[in-house]
Amino acid sequence: LTSCRQVLEEMNEVLSTSKLIRNYSRRIDMSDYTVETDLFPIPALQVYSSYNLGNVISPEDKAKYFSAHRGGSQGDYRDGMTEKIANIVNCLTKFPKSKRAVITVPNNSLASHTSDDHAKCMREIHFYLDDVKDIDNTSGGKKLFVLNATVWMRAQAAEIFPKNIHFVGSLMDTVARELVLASKEGVVEDTDDSNGDGDAIHISVGELFYLATTLVSVRED
């Protein structure tokens, strides 16, 4: 597995000798998905991710951090995201082994190539729960899972990677947290709260299989 920071460094390295890379893929460790750069200081990453998760953003934060250079409408994934997250949580709650826990980011089935709003850079994210064996018997009776994911990008400018990977990591954290909350309500299959603390399961965020059909350095390439 490669860290998010290492992926950005590698992107910049390979793009120093080739202006365009097709079908760039990596397995990424999502334990730390914050990659701060001059273009994306940590507050900007946090505001963009919160916005794309469907949360309310103050006009002051929008004015301070939002810009066309940082992504514009092609990087606006907010529309319907709250409902899409709820669908993922409902799917994996009822069917933990489901192959249908998928978020399709664009909402237009007849997209026009002339529309920036239709041409979302992020296309799909697939989520899957995998069992974890408690070899050291430290779970306290909880059922252990790891939440992994696959993301497909139509295109990725390396300079925008920090924003996209922070959103994906925030999204994975949100799904994992909501699944644990669902287990407290006793609706997750095959769980056992024998330790009595109200959490029938423990879910950690694991790895991301990342695929970008086209990788470039900057959006103008």
Side-chain angles (χ1 to χ4, degrees), residues 46-132:
Q46 293 170 336
V47 168
Y48 264 108
S49 290
S50 185
Y51 173 83
N52 278 326
L53 287 171
N55 298 322
V56 176
I57 303 300
S58 71
E60 293 78 14
D61 279 341
K62 281 188 178 180
K64 185 174 183 179
Y65 296 114
F66 281 33
S67 70
H69 187 190
R70 286 177 170 157
S73 59
Q74 294 180 76
D76 187 335
Y77 311 135
R78 176 187 179 87
D79 189 22
M81 189 55 67
T82 300
E83 293 80 6
K84 293 173 184 179
I85 293 171
N87 180 63
I88 295 299
V89 173
N90 183 264
C91 175
L92 292 178
T93 293
K94 293 180 177 178
F95 308 102
K97 298 299 183 184
S98 178
K99 299 181 285 292
R100 298 184 179 184
V102 177
I103 287 178
T104 300
V105 177
N107 294 314
N108 192 321
S109 60
L110 298 173
S112 169
H113 71 91
T114 62
S115 170
D116 282 354
D117 189 53
H118 292 178
K120 304 299 184 189
C121 294
M122 191 176 297
R123 309 306 292 180
E124 282 194 351
I125 312 174
H126 303 192
F127 299 86
Y128 29 97
L129 279 173
D130 294 319
D131 295 325
V132 176

Side-chain angles (χ1 to χ4, degrees), residues 2-221:
T2 307
S3 73
C4 295
R5 169 64 67 179
Q6 288 171 326
V7 170
L8 178 60
E9 292 172 351
E10 183 189 67
M11 285 178 173
N12 289 328
E13 181 179 353
V14 297
L15 288 166
S16 67
T17 57
S18 178
K19 190 171 184 179
L20 181 149
I21 303 292
R22 298 289 191 195
N23 297 316
Y24 177 89
S25 65
R26 286 296 177 268
R27 290 174 58 212
I28 305 177
D29 176 4
M30 294 302 288
S31 60
D32 180 5
Y33 49 82
T34 299
V35 182
E36 185 176 18
T37 62
D38 290 341
L39 182 59
F40 287 105
I42 289 176
L45 293 173
Q46 293 170 336
V47 168
Y48 264 108
S49 290
S50 185
Y51 173 83
N52 278 326
L53 287 171
N55 298 322
V56 176
I57 303 300
S58 71
E60 293 78 14
D61 279 341
K62 281 188 178 180
K64 185 174 183 179
Y65 296 114
F66 281 33
S67 70
H69 187 190
R70 286 177 170 157
S73 59
Q74 294 180 76
D76 187 335
Y77 311 135
R78 176 187 179 87
D79 189 22
M81 189 55 67
T82 300
E83 293 80 6
K84 293 173 184 179
I85 293 171
N87 180 63
I88 295 299
V89 173
N90 183 264
C91 175
L92 292 178
T93 293
K94 293 180 177 178
F95 308 102
K97 298 299 183 184
S98 178
K99 299 181 285 292
R100 298 184 179 184
V102 177
I103 287 178
T104 300
V105 177
N107 294 314
N108 192 321
S109 60
L110 298 173
S112 169
H113 71 91
T114 62
S115 170
D116 282 354
D117 189 53
H118 292 178
K120 304 299 184 189
C121 294
M122 191 176 297
R123 309 306 292 180
E124 282 194 351
I125 312 174
H126 303 192
F127 299 86
Y128 29 97
L129 279 173
D130 294 319
D131 295 325
V132 176
K133 293 188 186 220
D134 185 17
I135 299 174
D136 299 325
N137 295 315
T138 58
S139 69
K142 296 181 183 181
K143 192 170 181 64
L144 304 180
F145 292 96
V146 60
L147 180 71
N148 298 315
T150 296
V151 65
W152 171 38
M153 307 290 298
R154 171 186 63 80
Q156 175 70 75
E159 67 172 353
I160 309 296
F161 174 78
K163 184 186 84 168
N164 285 329
I165 204 66
H166 192 276
F167 169 60
V168 173
S170 299
L171 184 54
M172 292 176 74
D173 269 341
T174 299
V175 170
R177 184 170 59 251
E178 291 297 321
L179 285 168
V180 171
L181 289 174
S183 77
K184 290 183 178 181
E185 297 170 3
V187 294
V188 177
E189 290 187 353
D190 300 323
T191 58
D192 171 29
D193 185 25
S194 59
N195 64 342
D197 67 357
D199 288 347
I201 62 175
H202 175 76
I203 301 175
S204 58
V205 171
E207 69 176 76
L208 174 74
F209 182 79
Y210 173 93
L211 171 63
T213 304
T214 302
L215 177 66
V216 294
S217 291
V218 297
R219 294 182 62 225
E220 292 76 16
D221 285 346

